[in-house]
């Protein structure tokens, strides 16, 4: 009986590992597609997933205020890869523009949050799945701000779903520490200072606290990926 139980546990573990690996493969492919136009490849999508995972792990050790369990974290990390799926509907000349957007272009770009939510909501077959719920919340509300000055709905504080709040911070943080055609990469300390000072909008103070506490690990993640990419080249 013990041997059979051990065999079944091993089989289930292998199956779960294989499913997670397949999900990661799809995230990698999607990341390459989503970021192809701005020259960053899939790094942004991958980084957001890794940072989201670490930030959530830290958050649930600090508070039980939010309905997030350890078992939810992989789903949320996976859903974070879809945060900018709505940009596929925005004209390429705006999404891929190397310089600063005009006011009119920015208004068009802002629509990607609503477009993304509509895309996710349009997948009728899986609409009730937790992964799709997280993806919808992230797509629609990852540009909301804690003071109510974000978009598209002007939500304030914890009116914004916690998964969208976390991915919002991760999105801004990774954008700051990453090089783009129109900007240099800020250091970890510079990025944290800008976020804390409200230069990138208002965020949940508890999430900023978690970001500050985990930022060294994020630096390790980014450096490890740079090394892996260099080795592959």
């Amino acid at each position: 009986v013990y041997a059979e139980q051990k065999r079944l546990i091993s089989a289930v573990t292998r199956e779960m590992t294989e499913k997670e690996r397949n999900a990661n493969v799809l995230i990698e492919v999607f990341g390459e597609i989503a970021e192809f136009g701005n020259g960053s490849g899939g790094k942004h999508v991958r980084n957001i997933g890794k940072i989201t995972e670490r930030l959530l792990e830290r958050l649930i050790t600090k508070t039980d205020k939010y309905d997030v369990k350890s078992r939810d974290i992989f789903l949320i990390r996976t859903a974070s890869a879809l945060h900018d799926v709505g940009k596929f509907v925005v004209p390429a000349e705006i999404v891929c523009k190397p310089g600063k957007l005009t006011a009119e272009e920015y208004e068009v770009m802002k629509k990607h949050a609503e477009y993304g939510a509509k895309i996710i909501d349009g997948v009728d077959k899986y609409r009730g799945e937790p992964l799709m719920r997280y993806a919808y919340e992230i797509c629609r509300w990852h540009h909301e701000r804690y003071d109510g000055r974000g978009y598209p709905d002007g939500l304030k504080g914890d009116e914004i779903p916690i998964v969208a709040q976390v991915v919002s911070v991760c999105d801004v943080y990774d954008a700051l520490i990453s090089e783009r055609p129109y900007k240099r990469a800020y250091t970890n300390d510079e990025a944290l200072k800008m976020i804390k000072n409200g230069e990138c909008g208002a965020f949940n103070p508890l999430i900023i606290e978690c970001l500050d506490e985990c930022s060294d690990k994020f630096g390790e993640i980014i450096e490890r990926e740079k090394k892996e990419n260099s080795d592959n080249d």
Side-chain angles (χ1 to χ4, degrees), residues 89-199:
V89 187
V90 178
E93 60 269 23
I94 293 178
V95 175
C96 303
K97 185 176 179 179
K100 186 176 180 180
L101 298 179
T102 65
E104 293 77 15
E105 290 170 337
Y106 183 58
E107 288 303 313
V108 175
M109 177 67 89
K110 285 165 61 176
K111 290 290 184 181
H112 81 273
E114 295 172 77
Y115 295 150
K118 287 180 180 178
I119 289 170
I120 298 300
D121 197 46
V123 186
D124 297 339
K125 185 176 180 180
Y126 299 106
R127 187 177 293 163
E129 296 291 328
L131 175 64
M132 300 303 283
R133 175 170 61 84
Y134 291 137
Y136 181 92
E137 292 175 353
I138 290 168
C139 284
R140 186 170 185 94
W141 294 307
H142 72 284
H143 282 291
E144 299 290 352
R145 292 296 178 258
Y146 208 63
D147 59 2
R149 296 184 179 181
Y151 64 87
D153 299 313
L155 300 185
K156 185 176 182 179
D158 284 330
E159 293 174 352
I160 310 166
I162 190 60
V163 294
Q165 291 189 51
V166 169
V167 172
S168 176
V169 171
C170 296
D171 190 21
V172 168
Y173 174 76
D174 185 65
L176 289 173
I177 64 172
S178 300
E179 185 176 353
R180 293 288 187 269
Y182 52 87
K183 63 172 279 294
R184 69 176 178 86
Y186 293 103
T187 66
N188 177 64
D189 289 343
E190 288 174 326
L192 286 173
K193 184 177 180 180
M194 292 171 73
I195 292 172
K196 290 177 182 178
N197 290 345
E199 296 178 46

Side-chain angles (χ1 to χ4, degrees), residues 30 35 44-45 48 78-87 112-113 116 135 138-140 142-143 167 171:
F30 179 79
E35 301 298 326
H44 182 57
V45 168
I48 284 184
T78 304
S80 73
L82 299 170
H83 71 286
D84 276 343
V85 68
K87 286 184 178 178
H112 81 273
I138 290 168
C139 284
R140 186 170 185 94
H142 72 284
H143 282 291
V167 172
D171 190 21

Side-chain angles (χ1 to χ4, degrees), residues 15-29:
E15 183 177 353
M16 291 176 65
T17 301
E18 183 64 21
K19 286 182 178 179
E20 182 172 335
R21 181 176 180 277
N22 289 337
N24 285 331
V25 168
L26 291 176
I27 290 172
E28 292 280 330
V29 172

Side-chain angles (χ1 to χ4, degrees), residues 6-19:
K6 189 174 180 180
R7 185 190 68 77
L8 290 173
I9 291 171
S10 295
V12 170
T13 301
R14 284 196 303 273
E15 183 177 353
M16 291 176 65
T17 301
E18 183 64 21
K19 286 182 178 179

